[in-house]
Amino acid sequence: EIPGDNGSTCSFTTADFASVSVTLRPGMGKTSLAIWKSGKMPVSGVAEPGVGDEAVWVDGLHEVVARKNDLLCDIQVSGLDRNASGASHADQRRGVGALCNKIFAAVP
């Protein structure tokens, strides 16, 4: 859990990455995606098809921001080393999006 985040974010340290942060916020999906799509964020995101109802990928942050109905799923991978993991950038991107889809499938 990240301090000050009211229990909605968990951060994990793994063998392959420095950390993975997973944020879920009920009631914030539509608003958050609308802001990302409007271009009002300090960095830009591109549409990420096949993740939730809609999603964006923020390449410089290695982050997917997605929604299913109005549930926000935001996953950011820090310390991503493309060479160490052996996976291509596209594979890593799909993997982060797939994690949001698994979370969405588990939420009724």
Side-chain angles (χ1 to χ4, degrees):
E1 184 176 319
I2 294 175
D5 199 30
N6 300 322
S8 62
T9 299
C10 291
S11 186
F12 306 91
T13 301
T14 71
D16 294 334
F17 306 108
S19 70
V20 177
S21 296
V22 179
T23 302
L24 299 176
R25 289 192 175 99
M28 295 299 298
K30 292 177 183 177
T31 300
S32 296
L33 264 291
I35 292 169
W36 275 101
K37 289 170 40 180
S38 74
K40 294 181 181 178
M41 297 301 286
V43 293
S44 62
V46 296
E48 183 66 16
V51 180
D53 292 334
E54 63 181 330
V56 296
W57 172 256
V58 185
D59 193 50
L61 300 176
H62 300 284
E63 179 176 17
V64 68
V65 182
R67 74 167 184 88
K68 176 87 175 188
N69 298 317
D70 205 16
L71 174 62
L72 174 70
C73 175
D74 185 322
I75 298 177
Q76 182 176 18
V77 181
S78 300
L80 190 61
D81 184 346
R82 295 177 191 163
N83 296 326
S85 71
S88 72
H89 179 68
D91 288 341
Q92 292 169 349
R93 181 176 168 172
R94 279 190 294 274
V96 175
L99 183 53
C100 268
N101 279 337
K102 287 181 181 183
I103 292 168
F104 290 144
V107 176

